[in-house]
Amino acid sequence: QVQLVESGGGLVQAGGSLRLSCAASGRTVNRYYMGWFRQAPGKEREFVARISWNGGSTYAADSVKGRFTISRDSGKNTAYLQMNSLKPEDTAVYYCAASPFESSDSSAYIYWGQGTQVTVSS
């Protein structure tokens, strides 16, 4: 079992920054890829970024490349999503998730956090 607890969501002006955190726990948590997904009202859940369990490999969706950075602190079992240059279209519920395998497909992720709202105003 892996439990994920998110924090850091909120309201920010366009062009601003926000940092999301995902605290993970579980006996095998260090062996999972950690990913961030988001879902805006009326839209399907989409991939944002992922990081390998050892932090050596990262990947971000085209929509956020150059603006968002995923990182991982293994000592604290915490994944982060640093979001810069935020745009109104980034407004969504953001979820962290854990997968045994490298993937950008939400179906590969077994464990999910509760989600945290990110709202970017113009």
Side-chain angles (χ1 to χ4, degrees):
Q1 288 286 328
V2 174
Q3 185 175 20
L4 308 175
V5 180
E6 298 158 301
S7 62
L11 175 65
V12 65
Q13 295 288 318
S17 298
L18 203 62
R19 185 178 180 87
L20 306 183
S21 299
C22 177
S25 62
R27 287 193 291 270
T28 61
V29 64
N30 290 340
R31 308 186 74 90
Y32 283 82
Y33 277 80
M34 299 299 298
W36 287 95
F37 293 79
R38 66 186 183 186
Q39 187 167 24
K43 296 184 178 180
E44 295 184 352
R45 187 171 299 182
E46 66 173 341
F47 168 78
V48 176
R50 66 173 185 254
I51 187 168
S52 61
W53 66 269
N54 63 3
S57 178
T58 63
Y59 180 76
D62 289 342
S63 60
V64 303
K65 281 182 179 178
R67 300 189 298 119
F68 292 10
T69 302
I70 189 170
S71 61
R72 186 171 190 164
D73 185 338
S74 297
K76 297 181 179 180
N77 291 324
T78 302
Y80 303 94
L81 185 68
Q82 178 66 47
M83 304 184 293
N84 299 324
S85 301
L86 282 162
K87 306 174 181 179
E89 52 262 44
D90 294 319
T91 296
V93 177
Y94 283 70
Y95 300 88
C96 65
S99 172
F101 309 103
E102 178 184 12
S103 178
S104 299
D105 192 332
S106 63
S107 65
Y109 288 78
I110 299 174
Y111 302 102
W112 293 81
Q114 78 285 356
T116 184
Q117 177 70 47
V118 172
T119 302
V120 184
S121 62
S122 59

